[in-house]
Amino acid sequence: LDACTMACDVLTATKPGQGALLPTVLIGAIGESLIVPTLRLSLAICHYGNIDLCGELSQSGMLVPVGDILQRALASSDQYTFSVAVVLVKFCGQCTVVGSSANGTVETLKNVINALSCVLALSENENGSVM
């Protein structure tokens, strides 16, 4: 096994009656200081791993907290966290299956698309050119 697969397995493994570790860490349940490093690890798994790993991350339920993180980063002008969250949505959002077991994922994707479209609209001036 390669490092991406092993890291993904650790983050997405579930025990009976418990969810995956990844969404738990992303909501800050283990500590706020672990959120950004976990985002970075997830991004590295997506970037260097294969599309199946993106699907595993997506199915873990991580897109809901990533969508919340994206919204908070946008509101606080945290460009780094916002950018990482956008790229994670790009990689993992495409692997989302409608009707999947991850509750709220499709709604989260709709909200992220809406937020991103507002950001794009704000970056244009009256002439329609990008600032």
Side-chain angles (χ1 to χ4, degrees), residues 15-31:
K15 295 179 181 177
Q18 295 180 346
L21 177 64
L22 181 57
T24 303
V25 174
L26 291 176
I27 63 169
I30 298 176

PDB file of all heavy atoms in Angstrom, residues 15-31:
ATOM      1  N   LYS A  15     -16.042   2.380  12.878  1.00  0.00           N
ATOM      2  CA  LYS A  15     -16.324   1.294  13.806  1.00  0.00           C
ATOM      3  C   LYS A  15     -17.835   1.236  13.966  1.00  0.00           C
ATOM      4  O   LYS A  15     -18.522   2.240  13.756  1.00  0.00           O
ATOM      5  CB  LYS A  15     -15.656   1.541  15.157  1.00  0.00           C
ATOM      6  CG  LYS A  15     -14.146   1.540  15.096  1.00  0.00           C
ATOM      7  CD  LYS A  15     -13.567   1.818  16.466  1.00  0.00           C
ATOM      8  CE  LYS A  15     -12.051   1.852  16.391  1.00  0.00           C
ATOM      9  NZ  LYS A  15     -11.452   2.181  17.679  1.00  0.00           N
ATOM     10  N   PRO A  16     -18.380   0.089  14.332  1.00  0.00           N
ATOM     11  CA  PRO A  16     -19.833   0.006  14.516  1.00  0.00           C
ATOM     12  C   PRO A  16     -20.342   1.086  15.481  1.00  0.00           C
ATOM     13  O   PRO A  16     -19.806   1.252  16.569  1.00  0.00           O
ATOM     14  CB  PRO A  16     -20.035  -1.393  15.102  1.00  0.00           C
ATOM     15  CG  PRO A  16     -18.840  -2.172  14.639  1.00  0.00           C
ATOM     16  CD  PRO A  16     -17.716  -1.182  14.587  1.00  0.00           C
ATOM     17  N   GLY A  17     -21.320   1.836  15.029  1.00  0.00           N
ATOM     18  CA  GLY A  17     -21.910   2.882  15.850  1.00  0.00           C
ATOM     19  C   GLY A  17     -21.143   4.194  15.865  1.00  0.00           C
ATOM     20  O   GLY A  17     -21.539   5.132  16.537  1.00  0.00           O
ATOM     21  N   GLN A  18     -20.037   4.258  15.136  1.00  0.00           N
ATOM     22  CA  GLN A  18     -19.240   5.481  15.100  1.00  0.00           C
ATOM     23  C   GLN A  18     -19.030   5.905  13.652  1.00  0.00           C
ATOM     24  O   GLN A  18     -19.002   5.084  12.755  1.00  0.00           O
ATOM     25  CB  GLN A  18     -17.880   5.266  15.754  1.00  0.00           C
ATOM     26  CG  GLN A  18     -17.949   4.971  17.227  1.00  0.00           C
ATOM     27  CD  GLN A  18     -16.564   4.776  17.821  1.00  0.00           C
ATOM     28  OE1 GLN A  18     -15.588   4.608  17.113  1.00  0.00           O
ATOM     29  NE2 GLN A  18     -16.489   4.789  19.138  1.00  0.00           N
ATOM     30  N   GLY A  19     -18.842   7.182  13.471  1.00  0.00           N
ATOM     31  CA  GLY A  19     -18.532   7.692  12.149  1.00  0.00           C
ATOM     32  C   GLY A  19     -17.038   7.665  11.907  1.00  0.00           C
ATOM     33  O   GLY A  19     -16.247   7.243  12.760  1.00  0.00           O
ATOM     34  N   ALA A  20     -16.648   8.133  10.756  1.00  0.00           N
ATOM     35  CA  ALA A  20     -15.235   8.188  10.398  1.00  0.00           C
ATOM     36  C   ALA A  20     -14.530   9.281  11.204  1.00  0.00           C
ATOM     37  O   ALA A  20     -15.145  10.234  11.671  1.00  0.00           O
ATOM     38  CB  ALA A  20     -15.088   8.449   8.904  1.00  0.00           C
ATOM     39  N   LEU A  21     -13.240   9.138  11.340  1.00  0.00           N
ATOM     40  CA  LEU A  21     -12.422  10.100  12.080  1.00  0.00           C
ATOM     41  C   LEU A  21     -12.357  11.454  11.376  1.00  0.00           C
ATOM     42  O   LEU A  21     -12.392  12.496  12.028  1.00  0.00           O
ATOM     43  CB  LEU A  21     -11.004   9.529  12.255  1.00  0.00           C
ATOM     44  CG  LEU A  21      -9.980  10.424  12.941  1.00  0.00           C
ATOM     45  CD1 LEU A  21     -10.389  10.696  14.385  1.00  0.00           C
ATOM     46  CD2 LEU A  21      -8.602   9.779  12.881  1.00  0.00           C
ATOM     47  N   LEU A  22     -12.304  11.454  10.048  1.00  0.00           N
ATOM     48  CA  LEU A  22     -12.093  12.685   9.285  1.00  0.00           C
ATOM     49  C   LEU A  22     -13.123  13.774   9.588  1.00  0.00           C
ATOM     50  O   LEU A  22     -12.750  14.889   9.952  1.00  0.00           O
ATOM     51  CB  LEU A  22     -12.022  12.387   7.788  1.00  0.00           C
ATOM     52  CG  LEU A  22     -11.789  13.555   6.854  1.00  0.00           C
ATOM     53  CD1 LEU A  22     -10.511  14.307   7.201  1.00  0.00           C
ATOM     54  CD2 LEU A  22     -11.730  13.076   5.415  1.00  0.00           C
ATOM     55  N   PRO A  23     -14.431  13.512   9.470  1.00  0.00           N
ATOM     56  CA  PRO A  23     -15.381  14.586   9.773  1.00  0.00           C
ATOM     57  C   PRO A  23     -15.320  15.028  11.241  1.00  0.00           C
ATOM     58  O   PRO A  23     -15.513  16.199  11.545  1.00  0.00           O
ATOM     59  CB  PRO A  23     -16.753  13.986   9.450  1.00  0.00           C
ATOM     60  CG  PRO A  23     -16.516  12.696   8.803  1.00  0.00           C
ATOM     61  CD  PRO A  23     -15.090  12.325   8.964  1.00  0.00           C
ATOM     62  N   THR A  24     -15.010  14.095  12.121  1.00  0.00           N
ATOM     63  CA  THR A  24     -14.905  14.427  13.548  1.00  0.00           C
ATOM     64  C   THR A  24     -13.785  15.428  13.787  1.00  0.00           C
ATOM     65  O   THR A  24     -13.944  16.396  14.528  1.00  0.00           O
ATOM     66  CB  THR A  24     -14.652  13.144  14.369  1.00  0.00           C
ATOM     67  OG1 THR A  24     -15.701  12.214  14.106  1.00  0.00           O
ATOM     68  CG2 THR A  24     -14.585  13.433  15.848  1.00  0.00           C
ATOM     69  N   VAL A  25     -12.652  15.204  13.147  1.00  0.00           N
ATOM     70  CA  VAL A  25     -11.517  16.127  13.289  1.00  0.00           C
ATOM     71  C   VAL A  25     -11.846  17.469  12.653  1.00  0.00           C
ATOM     72  O   VAL A  25     -11.528  18.525  13.208  1.00  0.00           O
ATOM     73  CB  VAL A  25     -10.234  15.525  12.674  1.00  0.00           C
ATOM     74  CG1 VAL A  25      -9.103  16.533  12.693  1.00  0.00           C
ATOM     75  CG2 VAL A  25      -9.826  14.261  13.412  1.00  0.00           C
ATOM     76  N   LEU A  26     -12.520  17.453  11.508  1.00  0.00           N
ATOM     77  CA  LEU A  26     -12.802  18.695  10.790  1.00  0.00           C
ATOM     78  C   LEU A  26     -13.800  19.600  11.497  1.00  0.00           C
ATOM     79  O   LEU A  26     -13.829  20.803  11.238  1.00  0.00           O
ATOM     80  CB  LEU A  26     -13.267  18.394   9.362  1.00  0.00           C
ATOM     81  CG  LEU A  26     -12.191  17.828   8.438  1.00  0.00           C
ATOM     82  CD1 LEU A  26     -12.794  17.471   7.087  1.00  0.00           C
ATOM     83  CD2 LEU A  26     -11.034  18.805   8.268  1.00  0.00           C
ATOM     84  N   ILE A  27     -14.625  19.035  12.374  1.00  0.00           N
ATOM     85  CA  ILE A  27     -15.539  19.906  13.134  1.00  0.00           C
ATOM     86  C   ILE A  27     -14.883  20.428  14.405  1.00  0.00           C
ATOM     87  O   ILE A  27     -15.468  21.204  15.137  1.00  0.00           O
ATOM     88  CB  ILE A  27     -16.877  19.209  13.466  1.00  0.00           C
ATOM     89  CG1 ILE A  27     -16.666  17.996  14.361  1.00  0.00           C
ATOM     90  CG2 ILE A  27     -17.644  18.862  12.213  1.00  0.00           C
ATOM     91  CD1 ILE A  27     -17.941  17.432  14.945  1.00  0.00           C
ATOM     92  N   GLY A  28     -13.648  19.993  14.657  1.00  0.00           N
ATOM     93  CA  GLY A  28     -12.912  20.496  15.808  1.00  0.00           C
ATOM     94  C   GLY A  28     -13.143  19.720  17.082  1.00  0.00           C
ATOM     95  O   GLY A  28     -12.783  20.184  18.165  1.00  0.00           O
ATOM     96  N   ALA A  29     -13.740  18.532  16.980  1.00  0.00           N
ATOM     97  CA  ALA A  29     -14.050  17.750  18.177  1.00  0.00           C
ATOM     98  C   ALA A  29     -12.802  17.289  18.925  1.00  0.00           C
ATOM     99  O   ALA A  29     -12.843  17.075  20.126  1.00  0.00           O
ATOM    100  CB  ALA A  29     -14.911  16.540  17.810  1.00  0.00           C
ATOM    101  N   ILE A  30     -11.699  17.148  18.229  1.00  0.00           N
ATOM    102  CA  ILE A  30     -10.458  16.700  18.864  1.00  0.00           C
ATOM    103  C   ILE A  30      -9.565  17.892  19.187  1.00  0.00           C
ATOM    104  O   ILE A  30      -8.650  17.793  19.980  1.00  0.00           O
ATOM    105  CB  ILE A  30      -9.737  15.663  17.969  1.00  0.00           C
ATOM    106  CG1 ILE A  30     -10.638  14.445  17.805  1.00  0.00           C
ATOM    107  CG2 ILE A  30      -8.404  15.258  18.539  1.00  0.00           C
ATOM    108  CD1 ILE A  30     -10.099  13.396  16.886  1.00  0.00           C
ATOM    109  N   GLY A  31      -9.850  19.011  18.591  1.00  0.00           N
ATOM    110  CA  GLY A  31      -9.075  20.228  18.840  1.00  0.00           C
ATOM    111  C   GLY A  31      -9.023  21.084  17.596  1.00  0.00           C
ATOM    112  O   GLY A  31      -8.851  20.580  16.492  1.00  0.00           O
TER     113      GLY A  31
END
